[in-house]
Amino acid sequence: MNAKTILQFSMGPVGAAILSLITLPFVAWFFSVEDVGRLTMLQVILGLAVSLFSLAMHQAYVREYHEEEDKSALLKLSIIPGFVLLIFISLFILVLPFSISSILFGIDSNLITFLLFTGLFATFFINFLAHVIRMQERGLAFSATQIAPKIFLLILISLIMSLNWAAEFKTLMLMNTLSVVFSLFIFSWLTRDSWLISITKSVDFVLLKQMLLFSLPLVAGGLAYWGLTTMDRFFLRSLSGFNELGVYALAVALAGVVSVLTSIFSSLWHPVLYKWTKEGIDENKVQRVIENMILVVASFWSLAGLLSFIVPFFLPPQYLAIEYLIVACVSMPLFYLLSETTGVGIGITRRTSFAMFASIVAFLINAILNYLLIPVYGSSGAALASMASFFMFFVIKTEASAFLWRPFPRFKIYFILVFYMFATCVVVLAKAHISNFYIVWLILLLLTCGFFAKRLIESVNFFKIYFGKEN
């Protein structure tokens, strides 16, 4: 994958992140904190739809893509099992004698229920079609699908403000559902050559069984990971209410902009990794990626610590706690990003049960810590619990990879990350009221650069040579 393709894939997540940074303050100013909390519950449920109903077959699609000649038949096999399950579960829920919207959002509304299921089905198909574009290495198309829904959402918010529509959750739900459906239309058009052909393909039950054997262990892990990333919201809702949930959710959403790194890296990394595996993987290449990634993680974590004081200036007064919460929230996508490189042995050896184990253990730790910390520290406890759980998720995947594939140096990585976690705990518990604490973030960044100085110099020289050739 050349630099041009990498740039094309990067444009979408970066553009989407910038648009999210513009949109989130508007939502915070225009809608109540409680509605922001309800919006979080919607995003949680849509995330569950991907984790549960996809049966992790999108990962099987990625794993088998370079092994199978008939890509359209492979796409059909990946979609069918989850689609059947989604239809069955949806019909079952609709005939139950209670309101699903009341349970999830505290509002009994048929409109909200309809919008919820519309969003669920759209999200299900988007997940698979996005992987089609990703595996075809169509960078510009992938970026377009990332940016267009965000632009559409921003336009809808502008209309609400200019037309004086009611600033209530039904309106917010409608905006998000329309954005998801709009995104599905874009994905469908860009991948029409793949999914239209797949409809007429026959079902290869031998390949379907092989894909299910790969993906099903990931379902439990995916559900555990979903719980790991969303459990704090459920605890906050039950123990603190929608108000504190809204503040914490916005902190997570802002920190989630860092997930642009994960989105870009995952879009590029897995196809390249499995191509390397087929051709005969060079272990030194993977080691270079790991060491470069720890430098990236340390840089972004330090930047979050240094610049977090700026965030409250763009939000209403009731969101002041985000200044210190965001530092802990940033650690979650960064730990996941790093685990994508240190945990490569799990995918290479197809031992996906170890990824499931990592998610389940982290999920249980998160449940225990949320139960213990939220009653005492509120949203701060939720942030620290999630940070600790993601660290354990990263450690288990890293150690599993070293066990299954090959051992690699890990002490310096753990050493650096433990100190970053300790500094984050101090900031959160002290509510960012420690003078000159920025020095700590600078020292930690310099320490990381010193530990991996050879790799840093090598990377700097590479970019000098590369951009020198471009000029």
Side-chain angles (χ1 to χ4, degrees):
M1 192 173 290
N2 56 38
K4 181 180 179 182
T5 304
I6 293 174
L7 178 62
Q8 290 175 348
F9 270 100
S10 302
M11 289 169 59
V14 171
I18 293 172
L19 288 169
S20 293
L21 283 177
I22 297 172
T23 304
L24 285 172
F26 279 107
V27 173
W29 281 101
F30 197 65
F31 292 91
S32 68
V33 179
E34 291 80 5
D35 284 342
V36 173
R38 291 187 178 96
L39 177 62
T40 299
M41 295 303 300
L42 171 62
Q43 294 167 341
V44 165
I45 297 303
L46 294 180
L48 174 62
V50 173
S51 298
L52 175 60
F53 299 120
S54 69
L55 297 178
M57 288 291 278
H58 57 287
Q59 298 193 46
Y61 174 82
V62 172
R63 183 64 184 89
E64 302 298 333
Y65 188 84
H66 293 294
E67 308 290 336
E68 296 296 324
E69 294 295 329
D70 196 337
K71 315 299 185 187
S72 296
L74 185 66
L75 176 62
K76 181 175 182 176
L77 290 177
S78 67
I79 292 177
I80 287 176
F83 183 55
V84 173
L85 178 63
L86 177 57
I87 292 176
F88 176 79
I89 296 297
S90 298
L91 292 175
F92 176 76
I93 292 176
L94 288 174
V95 300
L96 291 175
F98 54 76
S99 170
I100 188 68
S101 67
S102 179
I103 293 174
L104 295 176
F105 310 115
I107 302 173
D108 187 359
S109 169
N110 291 331
L111 174 62
I112 290 179
T113 300
F114 171 76
L115 293 174
L116 173 63
F117 280 99
T118 301
L120 286 176
F121 277 89
T123 303
F124 173 83
F125 286 110
I126 286 172
N127 178 54
F128 288 99
L129 298 181
H131 283 82
V132 172
I133 295 175
R134 170 185 168 192
M135 296 308 296
Q136 291 175 348
E137 297 188 4
R138 298 165 61 189
L140 288 178
F142 180 82
S143 292
T145 60
Q146 299 285 303
I147 295 175
K150 298 292 184 180
I151 295 177
F152 188 64
L153 181 60
L154 190 59
I155 291 172
L156 287 175
I157 292 176
S158 301
L159 284 175
I160 289 174
M161 297 177 65
S162 60
L163 299 177
N164 292 321
W165 289 354
E168 58 185 12
F169 180 65
K170 288 182 181 180
T171 307
L172 192 57
M173 181 101 175
L174 177 61
M175 287 193 311
N176 280 270
T177 303
L178 288 175
S179 298
V180 173
V181 172
F182 180 64
S183 180
L184 176 60
F185 285 145
I186 296 174
F187 275 109
S188 299
W189 174 256
L190 293 174
T191 59
R192 62 191 184 281
D193 292 337
S194 296
W195 66 264
L196 283 173
I197 296 175
S198 71
I199 294 174
T200 60
K201 295 291 182 178
S202 59
V203 176
D204 183 344
F205 289 99
V206 175
L207 179 57
L208 178 60
K209 179 180 178 181
Q210 178 180 320
M211 294 174 70
L212 287 170
L213 288 174
F214 177 87
S215 68
L216 287 180
L218 294 173
V219 176
L223 289 174
Y225 182 77
W226 171 82
L228 172 63
T229 56
T230 59
M231 184 188 309
D232 43 12
R233 279 75 150 184
F234 287 103
F235 273 98
L236 279 170
R237 179 189 173 184
S238 62
L239 299 176
S240 301
F242 279 113
N243 188 68
E244 191 154 358
L245 171 59
V247 175
Y248 178 75
L250 191 60
V252 172
L254 290 171
V257 173
V258 178
S259 296
V260 65
L261 293 175
T262 305
S263 178
I264 295 172
F265 183 74
S266 296
S267 298
L268 304 173
W269 175 235
H270 290 119
V272 169
L273 174 65
Y274 292 135
K275 187 179 291 185
W276 285 355
T277 302
K278 184 180 180 180
E279 297 171 352
I281 195 166
D282 183 350
E283 297 177 357
N284 291 325
K285 284 184 178 179
V286 176
Q287 184 61 34
R288 287 197 291 270
V289 174
I290 292 173
E291 292 183 3
N292 280 316
M293 192 53 63
I294 186 64
L295 289 167
V296 170
V297 167
S299 299
F300 275 88
W301 205 332
S302 287
L303 281 174
L306 290 168
L307 303 178
S308 62
F309 73 94
I310 298 175
V311 178
F313 289 107
F314 299 94
L315 299 170
Q318 59 265 37
Y319 291 96
L320 288 176
I322 289 180
E323 178 180 354
Y324 54 88
L325 291 177
I326 198 170
V327 183
C329 293
V330 161
S331 69
M332 305 173 204
L334 291 179
F335 276 134
Y336 183 81
L337 175 64
L338 192 56
S339 74
E340 290 286 273
T341 56
T342 60
V344 293
I346 295 174
I348 291 173
T349 60
R350 300 177 189 261
R351 302 289 294 276
T352 52
S353 58
F354 283 83
M356 175 187 70
F357 177 73
S359 297
I360 292 174
V361 172
F363 171 83
L364 294 174
I365 291 174
N366 200 18
I368 295 171
L369 291 178
N370 271 290
Y371 178 76
L372 295 175
L373 296 179
I374 287 179
V376 180
Y377 299 105
S379 55
S380 296
L384 295 179
S386 294
M387 180 180 68
S389 304
F390 266 89
F391 176 69
M392 185 55 62
F393 173 80
F394 157 75
V395 169
I396 295 175
K397 284 189 66 175
T398 301
E399 293 303 311
S401 179
F403 171 74
L404 295 171
W405 183 46
R406 73 171 184 88
F408 55 91
R410 306 183 295 282
F411 175 77
K412 289 190 291 186
I413 296 175
Y414 291 146
F415 183 83
I416 289 294
L417 293 176
V418 167
F419 271 95
Y420 266 101
M421 290 175 64
F422 178 76
T424 301
C425 288
V426 172
V427 168
V428 172
L429 294 178
K431 300 186 184 299
H433 291 153
I434 301 178
S435 301
N436 301 320
F437 201 78
Y438 68 91
I439 297 174
V440 174
W441 300 117
L442 292 174
I443 290 174
L444 287 174
L445 181 58
L446 291 174
L447 183 63
T448 307
C449 292
F451 275 3
F452 299 97
K454 180 180 177 181
R455 190 64 58 213
L456 179 62
I457 293 171
E458 180 184 280
S459 298
V460 170
N461 289 335
F462 169 81
F463 282 109
K464 282 184 178 179
I465 294 172
Y466 178 80
F467 287 110
K469 290 181 179 178
E470 291 290 317
N471 296 326

